[in-house]
Amino acid sequence: MAVNVLLWSIDALRGDCIGPNMFPPKLLAHGIPRKPDTPSFDALLARGTFFSNGFSAAPYTTASHASVFSGRWTCNHGLREHFRAPMRKDVPNIFEIYRAHGYTTIFCNDMPNIFSEVLGFHRGVDHYLSFDHSRLLELLDELGETPIFLFLHFGDVHFPYGLVKLEVTGDAKFAAEVDKITEISGLEFDPKGTRMLDFAQIKDPKEWKYIQHYFQAMMRLYRDKRYGDLMRLYCQSVEEMDRGRFRHMAGELDQRGWMDRAHICLMGDHGEDFSDRCFMHHDSVVEGAVHVPIAFTSPDLPICRTDDAIVRTIDILPTLLDLSGIEVPSGLDGTCLNRRMRQKTPLDLVAKGEAFLYRQKDAALDAEVRNRRLDLYEQAVKEKKDLRTFDWPEPTLQLSYARDGRWKLMVIRDLIAMSEKHFLYDLKADAMEAVDLSDAQPRARSSLRQELNPFIDAALDQERSLAKTDANRILNELADMGYLHGRTPTN
């Protein structure tokens, strides 16, 4: 009989906030003396193998999850920028694969506006749920012996920290947390100020105000370089989630036999960090933004094991399929990790990822472009329109990274000037990525730069690029340049 499968995603969970390392150096650098207290997370990790050096393919939710679901780098599944284009339809996702093998697929998440149909996240899904864990548990009971693939996404650790949705969190707690960050930052709410995604689906004006107020207070703390205060809020949310919703759901699943009998992967989709080079996660590929926990438990795997090998979120799909006895499709970028977990066979993997930024010349224009992108995406979600039909602003920067067991290369590519800047760090000697050795170590820089060629060579939106390749336009341009002698271009 097929065994149930659980892919549990904790949005924005850093790789050093759970697991055995009590004193992570990057948290210490923020003035946080130890990792968050997470007995519920750690109890799950003790059931299997925890990879302490897991890395994400992108520092934002959409592209990173698309890589998890497809087992491919962002440049190979199409969803690269945060919400510019959907996943390619010719790339099978994990839901489609499991459903084709007789599983009922469930997608339960805290961010339905991000995990939207317009980005291709509904393909292969039998039951799509949001903010409804009661219905999820009812569904698990109703399905009985039917094999289930469950994707379970929690957003408590993501901004706004410790708060999910007004009806889930509760009015009093939401108000108290907003009051707390307001007091810390000293900022009063400006209804016309900087905003996060608000969507037409947030119908409660009180909830909308809470979220926007919280974000504005965060921005004030960041502008004042109070990075330690921000990270403390984040770490508190990890602890609250561990003793709250995570512990509750783990208990419910345990009562149903999932924790002992199912194949389980616990993961973070990206991290969180605050520094001169990173605000939250989406604008940087520093370690704090891309280092994530990846752990597997299964009746077929060893228990109580920590592994410091480099692994990637793209390795999750082939690993779960192999555990389920399903043939791993060809063409994946990810690697199955089961032999490593069972036999400690050597791994020599390189973690990679990318992000795109829209930095403008001044703050007002930057805000204008940001709001335009938000408005376009909100319109697409509301009207269920193809994202590629919109006139998206063009990104100005591409950030990419490649990382092995010692070296990490970050490349900042100016998409306007088509120039590059390289930053190479020796992570064994420089965990904080402070000393650039790109000139001193040309061989390491060159080797890792080659790893990034697929990201840099591929068009940001391949389907859009192909659609713009109009034969008549090309013929007319060639004729204007003096080519095609004796031929008349078409109109």
Side-chain angles (χ1 to χ4, degrees):
M1 179 181 294
V3 176
N4 292 333
V5 181
L6 168 60
L7 174 55
W8 201 337
S9 172
I10 310 299
D11 207 296
L13 182 60
R14 285 171 60 113
D16 58 2
C17 278
I18 62 174
N21 184 2
M22 288 297 297
F23 308 105
K26 298 178 187 65
L27 292 182
L28 289 172
H30 283 295
I32 298 170
R34 58 169 178 80
K35 82 172 185 67
D37 184 28
T38 57
S40 302
F41 279 120
D42 296 342
L44 176 59
L45 300 184
R47 294 174 180 260
T49 297
F50 170 59
F51 287 101
S52 59
N53 278 313
F55 291 90
S56 175
Y60 28 71
T61 299
T62 51
S64 61
H65 277 93
S67 283
V68 173
F69 295 159
S70 66
R72 303 184 187 219
W73 300 120
T74 52
C75 55
N76 293 329
H77 61 60
L79 204 173
R80 300 176 69 184
E81 202 274 331
H82 197 8
F83 33 67
R84 178 190 183 90
M87 289 181 66
R88 285 168 41 193
K89 293 181 179 179
D90 63 334
V91 174
N93 69 34
I94 197 168
F95 303 96
E96 293 170 310
I97 295 171
Y98 271 102
R99 185 160 73 175
H101 286 82
Y103 287 73
T104 296
T105 58
I106 304 174
F107 193 125
C108 184
N109 76 98
D110 284 350
M111 297 179 182
N113 300 322
I114 295 296
F115 290 115
S116 66
E117 186 175 357
V118 298
L119 286 171
F121 284 122
H122 291 211
R123 290 191 351 242
V125 175
D126 293 314
H127 301 276
Y128 186 92
L129 305 174
S130 59
F131 302 113
D132 197 347
H133 292 166
S134 296
R135 176 55 189 149
L136 169 62
L137 296 174
E138 290 175 359
L139 189 56
L140 296 182
D141 293 336
E142 291 169 8
L143 290 171
E145 297 301 312
T146 303
I148 298 168
F149 171 78
L150 168 61
F151 171 69
L152 183 56
H153 168 266
F154 277 12
D156 307 52
V157 177
H158 195 283
F159 159 87
Y161 303 125
L163 309 175
V164 183
K165 186 175 173 59
L166 195 60
E167 64 186 67
V168 174
T169 303
D171 196 335
K173 179 172 174 55
F174 228 118
E177 290 298 314
V178 173
D179 288 343
K180 180 170 69 176
I181 194 172
T182 300
E183 182 178 353
I184 293 172
S185 69
L187 181 73
E188 294 299 323
F189 175 59
D190 177 4
K192 296 182 180 179
T194 307
R195 68 181 176 91
M196 286 288 285
L197 286 168
D198 51 40
F199 293 104
Q201 288 93 327
I202 300 180
K203 300 184 184 302
D204 188 332
K206 185 186 299 182
E207 181 175 356
W208 183 90
K209 180 179 177 180
Y210 282 152
I211 291 173
Q212 308 309 328
H213 192 176
Y214 196 110
F215 182 64
Q216 289 177 16
M218 280 185 64
M219 291 289 291
R220 165 63 68 84
L221 290 174
Y222 185 75
R223 284 196 297 267
D224 292 345
K225 297 183 181 288
R226 294 170 63 180
Y227 307 141
D229 287 334
L230 289 163
M231 283 305 301
R232 275 186 283 276
L233 289 168
Y234 169 82
C235 288
Q236 289 168 15
S237 73
V238 175
E239 293 186 335
E240 290 176 7
M241 180 184 203
D242 182 89
R243 61 178 177 257
R245 284 212 307 163
F246 184 84
R247 181 172 64 180
H248 171 74
M249 180 56 70
E252 292 286 353
L253 292 172
D254 201 12
Q255 290 179 19
R256 291 162 175 79
W258 279 66
M259 307 307 278
D260 288 325
R261 298 195 296 270
H263 304 308
I264 300 174
C265 175
L266 175 74
M267 53 158 277
D269 63 331
H270 54 74
E272 191 84 336
D273 203 11
F274 295 95
S275 69
D276 291 346
R277 294 182 292 173
C278 186
F279 173 66
M280 294 172 63
H281 51 268
H282 45 75
D283 65 349
S284 181
V285 290
V286 297
E287 293 283 277
V290 296
H291 178 208
V292 297
I294 299 176
F296 293 92
T297 76
S298 167
D300 302 330
L301 295 174
I303 64 171
C304 298
R305 180 172 289 175
T306 297
D307 194 322
D308 63 359
I310 299 291
V311 298
R312 300 83 53 89
T313 53
I314 61 167
D315 301 323
I316 292 172
L317 171 63
T319 302
L320 287 177
L321 292 180
D322 185 70
L323 283 173
S324 303
I326 297 174
E327 182 178 358
V328 178
S330 61
L332 300 187
D333 298 316
T335 296
C336 178
L337 302 175
N338 289 325
R339 287 188 62 198
R340 172 72 180 189
M341 289 189 280
R342 292 188 179 112
Q343 303 168 18
K344 296 292 283 186
T345 54
L347 275 180
D348 188 21
L349 301 177
V350 176
K352 297 181 279 191
E354 67 173 352
F356 292 88
L357 303 185
Y358 290 74
R359 297 271 170 81
Q360 305 300 314
K361 294 180 179 179
D362 59 73
L365 185 58
D366 196 75
E368 180 182 325
V369 172
R370 171 186 168 79
N371 287 337
R372 179 182 164 203
R373 291 173 62 241
L374 296 181
D375 290 339
L376 290 175
Y377 184 63
E378 290 171 6
Q379 181 183 349
V381 171
K382 181 180 179 180
E383 301 176 4
K384 296 185 178 180
K385 283 189 175 181
D386 188 333
L387 292 163
R388 291 161 299 185
T389 63
F390 292 92
D391 183 21
W392 289 95
E394 293 299 320
T396 57
L397 296 174
Q398 179 188 25
L399 313 181
S400 55
Y401 83 94
R403 186 199 195 284
D404 60 22
R406 177 178 179 180
W407 300 102
K408 178 177 180 180
L409 177 70
M410 289 197 293
V411 176
I412 301 178
R413 190 162 182 254
D414 188 322
L415 298 176
I416 307 300
M418 300 306 289
S419 59
E420 293 182 4
K421 292 182 180 179
H422 300 83
F423 302 88
L424 182 73
Y425 304 106
D426 180 354
L427 295 179
K428 288 191 174 181
D430 177 24
M432 302 309 297
E433 303 166 90
V435 180
D436 176 22
L437 299 175
S438 56
D439 292 333
Q441 297 288 341
R443 181 176 299 179
R445 181 189 67 193
S446 176
S447 175
L448 290 176
R449 176 59 181 78
Q450 293 297 315
E451 294 281 351
L452 295 176
N453 282 344
F455 294 95
I456 290 172
D457 292 344
L460 175 57
D461 185 348
Q462 293 178 353
E463 292 188 31
R464 181 194 295 266
S465 299
L466 291 173
K468 288 184 175 181
T469 306
D470 179 81
N472 287 339
R473 178 182 59 79
I474 293 174
L475 286 172
N476 279 287
E477 289 180 358
L478 289 172
D480 290 341
M481 290 186 288
Y483 296 98
L484 304 179
H485 294 295
R487 299 187 185 183
T488 302
T490 54
N491 296 316

